[in-house]
Amino acid sequence: MFSPSQEEHCDPTKDPIKYGELVVLGYNGSLPNGDRGRRKSRFALYKRSKANGVKPSTVHILNTPQASKAVNCKVQHSISYTLSRNQTVVVEYCHDKDTDMFQIGRSTESPIDFVVTDTVSGSQEGEETPITQSTISRFACRVVCERVLPYTARIYAAGFDSSKNIFLGEKAAKWKNPDGHMDGLTTNGVLVMHPRGGFTEESKPGVWREISVCGDVYTLRETRSAQTRGKLVECESNVLQDGSLVDLCGATLLWRTADGLFHTPTQKHLEALRQEINAARPQCPVGLNTLAFPSMQRSRALSSLEDKQPWVYLACGHVHGYHNWGHRSEQEPNAQRECPMCRTVGPYVPLWLGCEPAFYVDVGAPTHAFVPCGHVCSEKSAKYWAEIPLPHGTHAFHAACPFCATQLSLTQGYAKLIFQGPID
């Protein structure tokens, strides 16, 4: 559980007010080795017992490094913009009684509420893959929520460090706006995409934008860490909406509002759907043995395959039990297999249920599987994620499975599953 400094709820006698949740794409309900403390696959933002938000106040223009240190050692928060070796602009921030602030980043220091590390696609089997050099900032971004209805949440690039400072050095992209206030971008940037139509089955992908330190919206830079900013997009804002995606260059987060989560399936609902499929006793059309989806817990861990585990020929969607024939390639045994039902050749993979409810856009039955990973969810959820371009590397975008971050096939992002019922 969070210490009071990380997650302070309101009056303990009342139900805490939830602003929303941030869910990391690429995890099927929990981190591979389990959620621990501030490091987890999803983070709920609750109204704090005391407001901890800050807002800009005094601006100092300093001409010596010593003067800069003097200001930064004060108790209040500040953002330092180093213009040259001899000039720094320091913007002090004062307490804001009307907002709560939550900070996200790679650092495990106390100012970070939600510790996020790089997501490695498809690395759910057993141990977490170590990252030699992370591209996620130690203090990546901050979310500021208004403490009164409608609890508007806004996102800003960069977070305050242990000395309550955000420091933009000489090489960082920074500038003075026409109204006189300073602003800047972090090294690898914080990108945001608001889906058109919210997070529903009818939603369409929005346009990826970059968010500045002060919360303005810009078009993307030519490359992720270029020093020249994009163009200001005045008609868009940094207000998060249900289904907004936040990319930290190494991990992508999904924002779900409290109201949005109210309409998503629950773990109990997903478990009921799993039991419903298993109760229908689907059979392997060749071996005639009964198939069954593993428990939600085993699906989350991608633990060892079970005897009754359903497998699928992704090119056609026919569901079978595992069998060891029909190979078309010796090097990759399951990459090219011939379906005994229709003779279609393609990948042959085990099926795992998608266990993270926040990734579902509806409460439909799990009838479709992502290609090539085999994670199963509702048709509308599969279609939604197959159309979402997610940032990859410094300037590439591609669709990926939300449950394991595996890049989806360009020709076929998902497949409809064809089960055979019992013969008796």
Side-chain angles (χ1 to χ4, degrees), residues 88-146:
T88 300
V89 176
V90 177
V91 181
E92 290 186 359
Y93 278 64
C94 61
H95 179 249
D96 182 0
K97 63 179 176 53
D98 299 320
T99 62
D100 287 334
M101 181 171 67
F102 304 87
Q103 301 208 137
I104 299 103
R106 179 170 49 88
S107 172
T108 55
E109 292 180 32
S110 58
I112 292 296
D113 298 289
F114 185 26
V115 178
V116 176
T117 54
D118 297 69
T119 303
V120 179
S121 65
S123 68
Q124 308 289 289
E125 300 174 25
E127 291 298 309
E128 295 173 42
T129 306
I131 300 291
T132 51
Q133 185 156 10
S134 175
T135 48
I136 299 174
S137 172
R138 294 173 67 245
F139 302 91
C141 67
R142 58 200 195 277
V143 174
V144 176
C145 302
E146 293 180 4

Short mmCIF file of all heavy atoms in Angstrom, two decimals, residues 88-146:
data_model
loop_
_atom_site.label_atom_id
_atom_site.label_comp_id
_atom_site.label_asym_id
_atom_site.label_seq_id
_atom_site.Cartn_x
_atom_site.Cartn_y
_atom_site.Cartn_z
N THR A 88 20.05 32.44 -16.16
CA THR A 88 19.03 31.43 -15.85
C THR A 88 17.74 32.13 -15.44
O THR A 88 17.78 33.10 -14.68
CB THR A 88 19.51 30.51 -14.71
OG1 THR A 88 20.71 29.85 -15.10
CG2 THR A 88 18.46 29.47 -14.36
N VAL A 89 16.63 31.64 -15.95
CA VAL A 89 15.33 32.14 -15.51
C VAL A 89 14.74 31.10 -14.56
O VAL A 89 14.61 29.92 -14.92
CB VAL A 89 14.37 32.37 -16.70
CG1 VAL A 89 13.00 32.80 -16.21
CG2 VAL A 89 14.95 33.43 -17.64
N VAL A 90 14.40 31.53 -13.35
CA VAL A 90 13.81 30.62 -12.37
C VAL A 90 12.38 31.06 -12.09
O VAL A 90 12.14 32.21 -11.70
CB VAL A 90 14.63 30.60 -11.06
CG1 VAL A 90 13.95 29.71 -10.02
CG2 VAL A 90 16.05 30.12 -11.32
N VAL A 91 11.45 30.15 -12.31
CA VAL A 91 10.04 30.42 -12.02
C VAL A 91 9.67 29.69 -10.75
O VAL A 91 9.72 28.45 -10.68
CB VAL A 91 9.13 29.95 -13.18
CG1 VAL A 91 7.67 30.27 -12.87
CG2 VAL A 91 9.55 30.61 -14.49
N GLU A 92 9.35 30.45 -9.71
CA GLU A 92 8.93 29.83 -8.45
C GLU A 92 7.46 29.44 -8.52
O GLU A 92 6.66 30.10 -9.18
CB GLU A 92 9.16 30.80 -7.28
CG GLU A 92 10.61 31.04 -6.95
CD GLU A 92 10.78 31.88 -5.71
OE1 GLU A 92 9.74 32.29 -5.12
OE2 GLU A 92 11.92 32.14 -5.31
N TYR A 93 7.14 28.34 -7.85
CA TYR A 93 5.75 27.86 -7.79
C TYR A 93 5.29 27.90 -6.34
O TYR A 93 6.03 27.51 -5.43
CB TYR A 93 5.66 26.43 -8.33
CG TYR A 93 5.57 26.35 -9.84
CD1 TYR A 93 6.63 26.80 -10.64
CD2 TYR A 93 4.45 25.84 -10.47
CE1 TYR A 93 6.56 26.73 -12.03
CE2 TYR A 93 4.37 25.79 -11.86
CZ TYR A 93 5.42 26.23 -12.63
OH TYR A 93 5.33 26.19 -14.00
N CYS A 94 4.07 28.36 -6.14
CA CYS A 94 3.52 28.41 -4.78
C CYS A 94 2.41 27.37 -4.63
O CYS A 94 1.94 26.78 -5.62
CB CYS A 94 2.99 29.81 -4.47
SG CYS A 94 1.65 30.34 -5.56
N HIS A 95 1.97 27.15 -3.41
CA HIS A 95 0.95 26.14 -3.13
C HIS A 95 -0.38 26.50 -3.80
O HIS A 95 -0.78 27.65 -3.85
CB HIS A 95 0.74 26.03 -1.61
CG HIS A 95 -0.30 25.03 -1.22
ND1 HIS A 95 -1.52 25.38 -0.67
CD2 HIS A 95 -0.32 23.68 -1.34
CE1 HIS A 95 -2.24 24.29 -0.44
NE2 HIS A 95 -1.53 23.25 -0.84
N ASP A 96 -1.04 25.48 -4.34
CA ASP A 96 -2.35 25.67 -4.97
C ASP A 96 -3.35 24.79 -4.22
O ASP A 96 -3.33 23.57 -4.33
CB ASP A 96 -2.28 25.26 -6.45
CG ASP A 96 -3.61 25.48 -7.18
OD1 ASP A 96 -4.57 25.94 -6.54
OD2 ASP A 96 -3.68 25.18 -8.38
N LYS A 97 -4.22 25.43 -3.44
CA LYS A 97 -5.16 24.68 -2.59
C LYS A 97 -6.25 23.97 -3.40
O LYS A 97 -7.01 23.16 -2.85
CB LYS A 97 -5.82 25.63 -1.58
CG LYS A 97 -6.66 26.73 -2.21
CD LYS A 97 -7.31 27.61 -1.16
CE LYS A 97 -8.09 28.77 -1.78
NZ LYS A 97 -9.07 28.39 -2.81
N ASP A 98 -6.33 24.26 -4.70
CA ASP A 98 -7.43 23.71 -5.50
C ASP A 98 -7.05 22.49 -6.34
O ASP A 98 -7.89 21.96 -7.06
CB ASP A 98 -7.97 24.80 -6.45
CG ASP A 98 -8.53 26.00 -5.68
OD1 ASP A 98 -9.18 25.77 -4.64
OD2 ASP A 98 -8.28 27.14 -6.11
N THR A 99 -5.78 22.06 -6.26
CA THR A 99 -5.36 20.92 -7.11
C THR A 99 -4.52 19.91 -6.33
O THR A 99 -3.89 20.23 -5.33
CB THR A 99 -4.52 21.40 -8.32
OG1 THR A 99 -3.33 22.05 -7.84
CG2 THR A 99 -5.32 22.34 -9.21
N ASP A 100 -4.55 18.68 -6.83
CA ASP A 100 -3.68 17.61 -6.34
C ASP A 100 -2.71 17.25 -7.47
O ASP A 100 -3.10 17.18 -8.64
CB ASP A 100 -4.49 16.36 -5.98
CG ASP A 100 -5.28 16.53 -4.69
OD1 ASP A 100 -4.85 17.34 -3.85
OD2 ASP A 100 -6.31 15.85 -4.53
N MET A 101 -1.46 17.03 -7.12
CA MET A 101 -0.43 16.71 -8.11
C MET A 101 0.08 15.28 -7.90
O MET A 101 0.32 14.86 -6.77
CB MET A 101 0.73 17.71 -8.02
CG MET A 101 1.84 17.46 -9.04
SD MET A 101 3.06 18.80 -9.07
CE MET A 101 3.80 18.61 -7.44
N PHE A 102 0.23 14.56 -9.00
CA PHE A 102 0.77 13.20 -8.98
C PHE A 102 1.91 13.14 -9.99
O PHE A 102 1.77 13.61 -11.11
CB PHE A 102 -0.32 12.19 -9.35
CG PHE A 102 -1.53 12.27 -8.47
CD1 PHE A 102 -2.57 13.14 -8.78
CD2 PHE A 102 -1.64 11.49 -7.34
CE1 PHE A 102 -3.69 13.24 -7.98
CE2 PHE A 102 -2.76 11.58 -6.52
CZ PHE A 102 -3.79 12.45 -6.84
N GLN A 103 3.04 12.54 -9.57
CA GLN A 103 4.22 12.53 -10.44
C GLN A 103 4.57 11.11 -10.87
O GLN A 103 4.48 10.16 -10.09
CB GLN A 103 5.40 13.18 -9.72
CG GLN A 103 5.11 14.63 -9.33
CD GLN A 103 6.37 15.49 -9.27
OE1 GLN A 103 6.36 16.61 -9.74
NE2 GLN A 103 7.44 14.98 -8.69
N ILE A 104 4.97 11.01 -12.15
CA ILE A 104 5.28 9.71 -12.75
C ILE A 104 6.70 9.77 -13.31
O ILE A 104 7.10 10.77 -13.90
CB ILE A 104 4.28 9.39 -13.89
CG1 ILE A 104 2.86 9.33 -13.34
CG2 ILE A 104 4.62 8.07 -14.57
CD1 ILE A 104 2.02 10.53 -13.63
N GLY A 105 7.46 8.68 -13.14
CA GLY A 105 8.81 8.64 -13.69
C GLY A 105 9.53 7.36 -13.33
O GLY A 105 8.98 6.49 -12.65
N ARG A 106 10.77 7.27 -13.80
CA ARG A 106 11.58 6.07 -13.55
C ARG A 106 12.22 6.08 -12.18
O ARG A 106 12.56 5.03 -11.62
CB ARG A 106 12.67 6.00 -14.65
CG ARG A 106 13.63 4.86 -14.55
CD ARG A 106 14.49 4.77 -15.81
NE ARG A 106 15.07 6.04 -16.19
CZ ARG A 106 16.24 6.50 -15.74
NH1 ARG A 106 16.95 5.80 -14.88
NH2 ARG A 106 16.71 7.66 -16.17
N SER A 107 12.38 7.25 -11.58
CA SER A 107 13.04 7.37 -10.28
C SER A 107 12.22 6.71 -9.17
O SER A 107 10.99 6.72 -9.20
CB SER A 107 13.25 8.85 -9.93
OG SER A 107 13.74 8.98 -8.61
N THR A 108 12.94 6.14 -8.19
CA THR A 108 12.25 5.59 -7.02
C THR A 108 12.30 6.56 -5.85
O THR A 108 11.93 6.20 -4.73
CB THR A 108 12.89 4.25 -6.61
OG1 THR A 108 14.30 4.45 -6.40
CG2 THR A 108 12.70 3.19 -7.68
N GLU A 109 12.76 7.80 -6.10
CA GLU A 109 12.79 8.79 -5.03
C GLU A 109 11.37 9.17 -4.61
O GLU A 109 10.41 9.00 -5.38
CB GLU A 109 13.57 10.04 -5.49
CG GLU A 109 15.06 9.76 -5.68
CD GLU A 109 15.82 11.00 -6.14
OE1 GLU A 109 15.43 12.10 -5.76
OE2 GLU A 109 16.79 10.82 -6.91
N SER A 110 11.24 9.71 -3.40
CA SER A 110 9.93 9.93 -2.80
C SER A 110 8.98 10.85 -3.58
O SER A 110 7.76 10.67 -3.49
CB SER A 110 10.09 10.46 -1.37
OG SER A 110 10.84 11.66 -1.37
N PRO A 111 9.46 11.84 -4.37
CA PRO A 111 8.48 12.68 -5.08
C PRO A 111 7.69 11.93 -6.15
O PRO A 111 6.65 12.41 -6.61
CB PRO A 111 9.34 13.77 -5.73
CG PRO A 111 10.62 13.78 -4.98
CD PRO A 111 10.83 12.36 -4.53
N ILE A 112 8.17 10.76 -6.56
CA ILE A 112 7.49 10.00 -7.62
C ILE A 112 6.40 9.13 -7.00
O ILE A 112 6.66 8.30 -6.13
CB ILE A 112 8.50 9.13 -8.41
CG1 ILE A 112 9.45 10.03 -9.20
CG2 ILE A 112 7.76 8.17 -9.35
CD1 ILE A 112 8.80 10.87 -10.29
N ASP A 113 5.16 9.31 -7.46
CA ASP A 113 4.03 8.53 -6.96
C ASP A 113 3.90 7.20 -7.69
O ASP A 113 3.45 6.21 -7.11
CB ASP A 113 2.73 9.32 -7.15
CG ASP A 113 2.73 10.62 -6.37
OD1 ASP A 113 2.63 10.56 -5.14
OD2 ASP A 113 2.84 11.70 -6.99
N PHE A 114 4.25 7.18 -8.97
CA PHE A 114 4.06 5.99 -9.80
C PHE A 114 5.36 5.73 -10.55
O PHE A 114 5.73 6.49 -11.43
CB PHE A 114 2.90 6.22 -10.76
CG PHE A 114 2.51 5.05 -11.61
CD1 PHE A 114 2.75 3.75 -11.21
CD2 PHE A 114 1.89 5.25 -12.84
CE1 PHE A 114 2.38 2.67 -11.99
CE2 PHE A 114 1.51 4.18 -13.64
CZ PHE A 114 1.75 2.89 -13.21
N VAL A 115 6.07 4.66 -10.16
CA VAL A 115 7.36 4.32 -10.77
C VAL A 115 7.12 3.49 -12.02
O VAL A 115 6.48 2.42 -11.97
CB VAL A 115 8.25 3.55 -9.78
CG1 VAL A 115 9.58 3.17 -10.44
CG2 VAL A 115 8.49 4.38 -8.52
N VAL A 116 7.61 3.99 -13.16
CA VAL A 116 7.40 3.32 -14.45
C VAL A 116 8.75 3.00 -15.08
O VAL A 116 9.63 3.86 -15.15
CB VAL A 116 6.59 4.23 -15.41
CG1 VAL A 116 6.44 3.58 -16.77
CG2 VAL A 116 5.22 4.54 -14.82
N THR A 117 8.91 1.74 -15.52
CA THR A 117 10.13 1.36 -16.22
C THR A 117 9.78 0.94 -17.65
O THR A 117 8.61 0.78 -17.99
CB THR A 117 10.85 0.20 -15.50
OG1 THR A 117 9.91 -0.88 -15.33
CG2 THR A 117 11.37 0.64 -14.14
N ASP A 118 10.82 0.77 -18.47
CA ASP A 118 10.61 0.47 -19.88
C ASP A 118 9.85 -0.84 -20.08
O ASP A 118 10.14 -1.85 -19.43
CB ASP A 118 11.96 0.37 -20.60
CG ASP A 118 12.71 1.69 -20.56
OD1 ASP A 118 13.15 2.07 -19.45
OD2 ASP A 118 12.86 2.32 -21.60
N THR A 119 8.87 -0.80 -20.97
CA THR A 119 8.11 -2.00 -21.32
C THR A 119 8.83 -2.73 -22.45
O THR A 119 9.13 -2.14 -23.48
CB THR A 119 6.70 -1.61 -21.80
OG1 THR A 119 6.06 -0.84 -20.76
CG2 THR A 119 5.87 -2.84 -22.08
N VAL A 120 9.11 -4.01 -22.22
CA VAL A 120 9.73 -4.83 -23.26
C VAL A 120 8.64 -5.70 -23.87
O VAL A 120 7.99 -6.47 -23.18
CB VAL A 120 10.85 -5.72 -22.68
CG1 VAL A 120 11.47 -6.58 -23.77
CG2 VAL A 120 11.90 -4.86 -22.00
N SER A 121 8.41 -5.55 -25.17
CA SER A 121 7.30 -6.25 -25.81
C SER A 121 7.45 -7.76 -25.71
O SER A 121 8.53 -8.31 -25.92
CB SER A 121 7.18 -5.84 -27.28
OG SER A 121 8.32 -6.25 -28.00
N GLY A 122 6.34 -8.40 -25.33
CA GLY A 122 6.30 -9.85 -25.25
C GLY A 122 7.16 -10.47 -24.18
O GLY A 122 7.35 -11.68 -24.16
N SER A 123 7.64 -9.67 -23.20
CA SER A 123 8.58 -10.21 -22.21
C SER A 123 7.85 -10.62 -20.95
O SER A 123 8.30 -10.35 -19.85
CB SER A 123 9.63 -9.17 -21.85
OG SER A 123 9.03 -8.09 -21.15
N GLN A 124 6.72 -11.27 -21.09
CA GLN A 124 5.94 -11.63 -19.92
C GLN A 124 6.28 -13.02 -19.37
O GLN A 124 5.80 -13.41 -18.34
CB GLN A 124 4.45 -11.60 -20.28
CG GLN A 124 4.02 -10.29 -20.93
CD GLN A 124 4.02 -9.14 -19.95
OE1 GLN A 124 3.17 -9.09 -19.07
NE2 GLN A 124 4.94 -8.23 -20.06
N GLU A 125 7.10 -13.75 -20.09
CA GLU A 125 7.34 -15.13 -19.68
C GLU A 125 8.44 -15.19 -18.64
O GLU A 125 9.61 -15.20 -18.95
CB GLU A 125 7.69 -16.00 -20.89
CG GLU A 125 6.55 -16.00 -21.91
CD GLU A 125 6.92 -16.74 -23.18
OE1 GLU A 125 7.81 -17.60 -23.11
OE2 GLU A 125 6.33 -16.44 -24.21
N GLY A 126 8.03 -15.22 -17.36
CA GLY A 126 9.00 -15.37 -16.28
C GLY A 126 9.65 -14.06 -15.89
O GLY A 126 8.99 -13.08 -15.59
N GLU A 127 10.97 -14.04 -15.92
CA GLU A 127 11.71 -12.90 -15.40
C GLU A 127 11.55 -11.67 -16.29
O GLU A 127 11.39 -11.76 -17.49
CB GLU A 127 13.21 -13.25 -15.32
CG GLU A 127 13.51 -14.28 -14.24
CD GLU A 127 13.16 -13.81 -12.85
OE1 GLU A 127 13.58 -12.70 -12.47
OE2 GLU A 127 12.44 -14.52 -12.15
N GLU A 128 11.61 -10.50 -15.64
CA GLU A 128 11.57 -9.26 -16.38
C GLU A 128 12.91 -9.04 -17.07
O GLU A 128 13.97 -9.30 -16.51
CB GLU A 128 11.29 -8.09 -15.42
CG GLU A 128 9.92 -8.18 -14.78
CD GLU A 128 9.73 -7.13 -13.71
OE1 GLU A 128 10.13 -5.98 -13.94
OE2 GLU A 128 9.19 -7.46 -12.65
N THR A 129 12.87 -8.57 -18.30
CA THR A 129 14.10 -8.34 -19.05
C THR A 129 14.75 -7.04 -18.60
O THR A 129 14.10 -6.00 -18.60
CB THR A 129 13.79 -8.25 -20.56
OG1 THR A 129 13.06 -9.43 -20.93
CG2 THR A 129 15.05 -8.15 -21.37
N PRO A 130 16.02 -7.07 -18.16
CA PRO A 130 16.64 -5.83 -17.71
C PRO A 130 16.90 -4.87 -18.87
O PRO A 130 17.21 -5.29 -19.98
CB PRO A 130 17.97 -6.30 -17.09
CG PRO A 130 18.25 -7.61 -17.77
CD PRO A 130 16.93 -8.22 -18.09
N ILE A 131 16.75 -3.59 -18.60
CA ILE A 131 17.01 -2.55 -19.60
C ILE A 131 18.40 -1.98 -19.32
O ILE A 131 18.68 -1.53 -18.21
CB ILE A 131 15.95 -1.42 -19.50
CG1 ILE A 131 14.55 -1.98 -19.74
CG2 ILE A 131 16.26 -0.30 -20.47
CD1 ILE A 131 14.29 -2.43 -21.15
N THR A 132 19.27 -2.02 -20.32
CA THR A 132 20.63 -1.53 -20.10
C THR A 132 20.64 -0.01 -19.99
O THR A 132 21.32 0.56 -19.15
CB THR A 132 21.56 -1.97 -21.24
OG1 THR A 132 20.94 -1.62 -22.48
CG2 THR A 132 21.78 -3.46 -21.19
N GLN A 133 19.87 0.67 -20.83
CA GLN A 133 19.80 2.12 -20.76
C GLN A 133 18.38 2.57 -21.04
O GLN A 133 17.89 2.48 -22.14
CB GLN A 133 20.77 2.77 -21.77
CG GLN A 133 20.82 4.28 -21.62
CD GLN A 133 22.12 4.86 -22.13
OE1 GLN A 133 22.90 4.17 -22.76
NE2 GLN A 133 22.35 6.12 -21.87
N SER A 134 17.73 3.07 -19.99
CA SER A 134 16.34 3.47 -20.12
C SER A 134 16.22 4.80 -20.85
O SER A 134 17.07 5.67 -20.73
CB SER A 134 15.69 3.58 -18.74
OG SER A 134 14.37 4.07 -18.85
N THR A 135 15.14 4.93 -21.62
CA THR A 135 14.86 6.21 -22.28
C THR A 135 13.77 6.99 -21.56
O THR A 135 13.41 8.09 -21.96
CB THR A 135 14.43 5.97 -23.75
OG1 THR A 135 13.42 4.95 -23.78
CG2 THR A 135 15.62 5.53 -24.59
N ILE A 136 13.23 6.42 -20.48
CA ILE A 136 12.21 7.12 -19.68
C ILE A 136 12.92 8.06 -18.70
O ILE A 136 13.88 7.67 -18.04
CB ILE A 136 11.35 6.12 -18.90
CG1 ILE A 136 10.61 5.19 -19.86
CG2 ILE A 136 10.33 6.84 -18.01
CD1 ILE A 136 9.84 4.07 -19.18
N SER A 137 12.43 9.27 -18.63
CA SER A 137 13.03 10.25 -17.71
C SER A 137 12.79 9.84 -16.25
O SER A 137 11.77 9.23 -15.92
CB SER A 137 12.40 11.62 -17.96
OG SER A 137 12.81 12.54 -16.98
N ARG A 138 13.75 10.18 -15.40
CA ARG A 138 13.59 9.87 -13.97
C ARG A 138 12.38 10.60 -13.39
O ARG A 138 11.66 10.07 -12.56
CB ARG A 138 14.86 10.26 -13.20
CG ARG A 138 16.06 9.41 -13.59
CD ARG A 138 17.36 9.90 -12.98
NE ARG A 138 17.33 9.72 -11.53
CZ ARG A 138 17.36 10.72 -10.66
NH1 ARG A 138 17.42 11.97 -11.08
NH2 ARG A 138 17.34 10.48 -9.38
N PHE A 139 12.17 11.82 -13.81
CA PHE A 139 10.99 12.60 -13.40
C PHE A 139 10.27 13.00 -14.68
O PHE A 139 10.47 14.09 -15.21
CB PHE A 139 11.43 13.82 -12.58
CG PHE A 139 12.22 13.46 -11.35
CD1 PHE A 139 13.61 13.36 -11.39
CD2 PHE A 139 11.58 13.16 -10.17
CE1 PHE A 139 14.34 13.00 -10.27
CE2 PHE A 139 12.30 12.80 -9.03
CZ PHE A 139 13.67 12.72 -9.08
N ALA A 140 9.45 12.07 -15.20
CA ALA A 140 8.96 12.19 -16.58
C ALA A 140 7.83 13.19 -16.75
O ALA A 140 7.86 14.02 -17.66
CB ALA A 140 8.51 10.82 -17.08
N CYS A 141 6.80 13.09 -15.91
CA CYS A 141 5.65 13.97 -16.11
C CYS A 141 4.86 14.10 -14.81
O CYS A 141 5.13 13.39 -13.83
CB CYS A 141 4.74 13.46 -17.23
SG CYS A 141 3.90 11.90 -16.85
N ARG A 142 3.91 14.99 -14.82
CA ARG A 142 3.04 15.16 -13.65
C ARG A 142 1.60 15.34 -14.13
O ARG A 142 1.35 15.93 -15.17
CB ARG A 142 3.50 16.35 -12.79
CG ARG A 142 3.54 17.67 -13.51
CD ARG A 142 4.46 18.68 -12.78
NE ARG A 142 4.25 20.06 -13.25
CZ ARG A 142 4.82 20.55 -14.34
NH1 ARG A 142 5.61 19.80 -15.08
NH2 ARG A 142 4.58 21.81 -14.69
N VAL A 143 0.67 14.79 -13.36
CA VAL A 143 -0.75 14.94 -13.63
C VAL A 143 -1.34 15.77 -12.51
O VAL A 143 -1.13 15.47 -11.32
CB VAL A 143 -1.46 13.56 -13.71
CG1 VAL A 143 -2.97 13.73 -13.85
CG2 VAL A 143 -0.90 12.75 -14.88
N VAL A 144 -2.04 16.83 -12.87
CA VAL A 144 -2.63 17.74 -11.88
C VAL A 144 -4.15 17.65 -12.00
O VAL A 144 -4.72 17.87 -13.07
CB VAL A 144 -2.14 19.19 -12.11
CG1 VAL A 144 -2.83 20.14 -11.14
CG2 VAL A 144 -0.62 19.26 -11.94
N CYS A 145 -4.81 17.30 -10.89
CA CYS A 145 -6.27 17.11 -10.88
C CYS A 145 -6.94 18.19 -10.04
O CYS A 145 -6.48 18.49 -8.92
CB CYS A 145 -6.62 15.74 -10.31
SG CYS A 145 -5.89 14.35 -11.20
N GLU A 146 -8.01 18.75 -10.55
CA GLU A 146 -8.79 19.72 -9.78
C GLU A 146 -9.58 18.98 -8.71
O GLU A 146 -10.14 17.92 -8.96
CB GLU A 146 -9.72 20.50 -10.72
CG GLU A 146 -8.96 21.40 -11.69
CD GLU A 146 -9.87 22.19 -12.61
OE1 GLU A 146 -11.12 22.09 -12.45
OE2 GLU A 146 -9.36 22.88 -13.50
#
